Amino acid sequence: MNIKLNLGTTECTAADVCVLATFSKTEKKGKTETSTPVLSGWTKEWKDALNSAGTSKSFTGAKSSQFSFDIKGQRFLALGLGDKKDFDAETLRRVTSKVLQSLKTNKTLSLNLDTFAIKGNLELSASVMTEAAHLALYSFDKYLKVKDSLNIKTITLDSKAKKTEAKKIQKAIKDASMVSESVNVARDYVNEPPNILNSETYAKKVVADCKGIKGVKTKVLGKADLKKHKMGMFLSVNAGSAYAPQLVHLTYTPTKVTKNTKHIAFVGKGLTFDTGGYSLKPGGSMVNMKFDMAGSATVYGAFRAIAMLGLPVKVSCFLGMTDNAVNEHATMPDSIVTAKNGKTVEILNTDAEGRLVLGDVLTYASEFKPDSIIDAATLTGACLIALGTEVCGLMGNDPKLAESLKKAAKAADEYMWELPIIEEWKNDMKSNIADLKNIGGSRWGGTAKAAAFLENFVGEGISWAHLDIAGCGDSQGHLPYCPKKGASGTIIRTLVEYARKS
Ligand code: BES
Ligand code: MN
Ligand code: ZN
């Protein structure tokens, strides 16, 4: 799909459908409220055509309402944005997503950018609409013989802005495309089934995808390397697997590096499937555990976008890949293993495996002395109980970093809420016969107890934040720019925003 910009025009580029947005104004006369569309930015010809189209009286410009009319054989669609004072980026993202889905059988669309401006900011609107187009029209259909008909080839954004504005708006479109295409790459990885995507094929896919991205270097550590690094926790999760564990280590170095250049490390849980191990999940809970690598796909998506945007930050990205499977070599509950950092861990439940992989990868990441480490993981079912299925859990050891992430989430219009890591929970993760145990004494507070466990593996003095995406990682169908079922790709835009502000 191609998104084009047509500046210096008061016309609509000829297309299958030309979309014009309108706000809605509500007036009170006595007890009755009447809403009417506000046709600002419309040409006289467009206004006359709408007004003379008989049924247009029912069109009020309410959010996501539509009304179609024709002018000289060109089809127009009036699209409601609702009240102007409530109009913001997220409203635009949602409204655009819905309208594009409803028009997806058309080949060419033209959208009048001026009528969609958020407080006169054409760059912002172009960026949000580009995002919506890529995200809302995504579908995972590679295994379907009969695919859903998506015909949109070209979307043209028309504006009367001067051609001198072109560069800025064009850049906004290009940047938003890179970010949203990276979200879709991450979605593809998550949606891929476990018989196709295992640790080895996953690592290869990521390395291949990095080829050609400027400033990016790749390295993959296999089983022998993990043994050399004494990653006893990571290896214990992989013990029952038919595939080698893979620690994918990516670095992005910007063109200009000074002593002030920030170094961010991303760490991601990449469980290509989680059976629970010997602490086997019941059949129903095991379904969809292919998505247990969504944390790694999230940080990879963000890493990819940041590198493609050429942001002036150094980013290291560590993806811990394995499945959690059962065979005669699989780790038995009651086992005690030694982590890379020397701590011993009693494994009381092999289904609490994500923290074992992440723990060793966090220690490894710490050796590169980043300014901050942010990990993302589908870590606990308890996160869905605590925050619902829509909100990303945030925990960590540095209030400043947590604050920046919350700010970034707000700017990206994504939901994030912080949970505390209290002393009691840190203590609850201690074992009588080892330094730590991998589950707490009760299921209460399970999300933050998992974080309390992880904190043991973060290097001294390093700012760290943990994002539990167990809920928001998939099935975010309440968002019109996310598929009903399957990978959501949320939180990637938040991480890119965080890097932009770093
Ligand atoms: N991958 C799961 C967490 C999960 C569960 C994500 C359901 C999304 C939906 C994780 O590895 C796990 O199994 N966690 C256990 C931890 C428990 C054994 C302490 C859980 O949440 O039940
Ligand atoms: Mn598990
Ligand atoms: Zn898991």
Side-chain angles (χ1 to χ4, degrees):
M1 187 182 44
N2 190 7
I3 301 177
K4 279 191 189 158
L5 188 61
N6 186 18
L7 294 184
T9 181
T10 49
E11 314 243 317
C12 127
T13 303
D16 292 340
V17 184
C18 173
V19 184
L20 308 170
T22 88
F23 292 108
S24 183
K25 194 171 72 189
T26 305
E27 276 167 321
K28 247 189 176 163
K29 275 187 200 131
K31 275 190 184 150
T32 49
E33 273 189 357
T34 45
S35 298
T36 45
V38 183
L39 308 178
S40 49
W42 285 44
T43 64
K44 186 169 179 307
E45 189 186 28
W46 299 342
K47 283 182 192 170
D48 289 347
L50 178 75
N51 290 330
S52 63
T55 45
S56 70
K57 296 256 178 315
S58 61
F59 177 69
T60 61
K63 214 180 273 181
S64 279
S65 62
Q66 301 185 2
F67 182 78
S68 296
F69 57 97
D70 289 335
I71 304 176
K72 294 180 205 137
Q74 167 67 57
R75 174 121 281 220
F76 282 79
L77 187 139
L79 174 68
L81 301 179
D83 197 325
K84 189 169 185 171
K85 71 176 189 320
D86 302 328
F87 186 59
D88 55 12
E90 183 62 6
T91 304
L92 179 57
R93 200 176 283 115
R94 293 187 187 202
V95 169
T96 309
S97 296
K98 281 190 203 155
V99 77
L100 291 180
Q101 276 160 357
S102 76
L103 294 174
K104 69 181 175 190
T105 52
N106 295 283
K107 237 193 182 129
T108 54
L109 298 174
S110 119
L111 280 68
N112 187 281
L113 183 60
D114 300 329
T115 61
F116 284 94
I118 302 168
K119 298 194 175 76
N121 189 341
L122 295 181
E123 272 165 77
L124 176 59
S125 289
S127 161
V128 169
M129 290 164 85
T130 302
E131 255 172 31
H134 289 293
L135 297 181
L137 299 174
Y138 169 86
S139 75
F140 185 70
D141 57 9
K142 65 189 279 198
Y143 297 105
L144 283 174
K145 202 163 270 144
V146 183
K147 302 184 198 299
D148 204 11
S149 53
L150 167 68
N151 296 333
I152 302 177
K153 292 272 171 308
T154 310
I155 297 175
T156 309
L157 300 178
D158 295 316
S159 167
K160 57 180 185 294
K162 293 198 192 76
K163 296 246 155 105
T164 47
E165 298 284 298
K167 248 192 165 153
K168 280 193 279 181
I169 304 176
Q170 202 68 61
K171 184 173 188 311
I173 293 173
K174 195 169 160 225
D175 286 2
S177 293
M178 290 192 287
V179 175
S180 37
E181 278 163 9
S182 297
V183 172
N184 288 342
V185 166
R187 286 171 167 179
D188 272 345
Y189 292 163
V190 177
N191 288 327
E192 204 64 65
N195 56 323
I196 304 292
L197 192 100
N198 56 59
S199 49
E200 294 166 20
T201 55
Y202 185 17
K204 282 201 186 98
K205 265 182 192 280
V206 168
V207 169
D209 186 64
C210 282
K211 281 255 150 59
I213 307 179
K214 210 174 141 212
V216 171
K217 286 208 175 91
T218 64
K219 183 176 167 183
V220 180
L221 287 76
K223 193 164 187 167
D225 303 304
L226 301 202
K227 280 185 183 160
K228 218 172 357 187
H229 282 280
K230 297 193 163 71
M231 298 196 189
M233 291 197 297
F234 192 159
L235 286 163
S236 78
V237 176
N238 180 253
S241 174
Y243 308 101
Q246 308 270 277
L247 201 177
V248 175
H249 176 183
L250 311 170
T251 55
Y252 159 65
T253 313
T255 355
K256 258 198 219 139
V257 179
T258 69
K259 63 179 193 317
N260 293 326
T261 304
K262 282 267 171 333
H263 179 194
I264 305 170
F266 287 146
V267 168
K269 171 177 173 181
L271 265 286
T272 56
F273 198 79
D274 181 11
T275 69
Y278 272 119
S279 313
L280 199 65
K281 286 184 186 291
S285 320
M286 204 186 290
V287 174
N288 200 36
M289 277 302 142
K290 66 171 184 179
F291 108 118
D292 214 17
M293 36 60 71
S296 62
T298 301
V299 292
Y300 176 65
F303 172 86
R304 183 186 193 274
I306 293 164
M308 289 177 88
L309 292 170
L311 297 185
V313 283
K314 184 178 168 179
V315 187
S316 300
C317 186
F318 304 91
L319 314 172
M321 300 173 180
T322 177
D323 50 23
N324 184 21
V326 199
N327 68 11
E328 68 271 34
H329 302 293
T331 300
M332 283 176 250
D334 283 346
S335 296
I336 295 179
V337 299
T338 306
K340 172 169 167 56
N341 74 351
K343 292 193 181 176
T344 53
V345 178
E346 187 184 13
I347 298 175
L348 293 177
N349 189 323
T350 60
D351 198 12
E353 85 298 338
R355 60 198 76 185
L356 301 174
V357 171
L358 286 179
D360 276 342
V361 181
L362 284 169
T363 304
Y364 181 73
S366 300
E367 287 179 353
F368 298 87
K369 303 260 174 274
D371 296 301
S372 62
I373 303 181
I374 301 167
D375 79 68
T378 49
L379 205 61
T380 63
C383 192
L384 286 78
I385 309 284
L387 298 176
T389 54
E390 299 87 355
V391 178
C392 173
L394 163 67
M395 287 138 277
N397 66 3
D398 176 8
K400 262 203 190 135
L401 174 60
E403 226 28 71
S404 310
L405 282 166
K406 280 189 264 186
K407 225 172 147 182
K410 205 164 179 25
D413 296 308
E414 296 190 310
Y415 301 124
M416 189 175 281
W417 196 258
E418 190 174 0
L419 300 171
I421 305 178
I422 64 174
E423 216 47 44
E424 285 84 341
W425 295 340
K426 293 183 190 180
N427 291 331
D428 194 29
M429 300 311 291
K430 289 180 182 155
S431 158
N432 292 327
I433 57 167
D435 300 328
L436 295 163
K437 54 183 165 50
N438 79 328
I439 54 168
S442 76
R443 53 198 212 91
W444 311 119
T447 300
K449 282 179 186 171
F453 179 88
L454 292 179
E455 192 173 356
N456 288 285
F457 304 97
V458 177
E460 199 61 38
I462 299 178
S463 290
W464 158 75
H466 162 60
L467 302 173
D468 195 328
I469 60 159
C472 66
D474 78 336
S475 302
Q476 298 298 290
H478 57 103
L479 302 171
Y481 46 88
C482 287
K484 289 262 168 304
K485 283 236 160 63
S488 69
T490 57
I491 304 304
I492 295 177
R493 291 189 300 107
T494 291
L495 292 176
V496 175
E497 175 64 23
Y498 169 77
R500 275 198 174 110
K501 296 285 146 64
S502 289

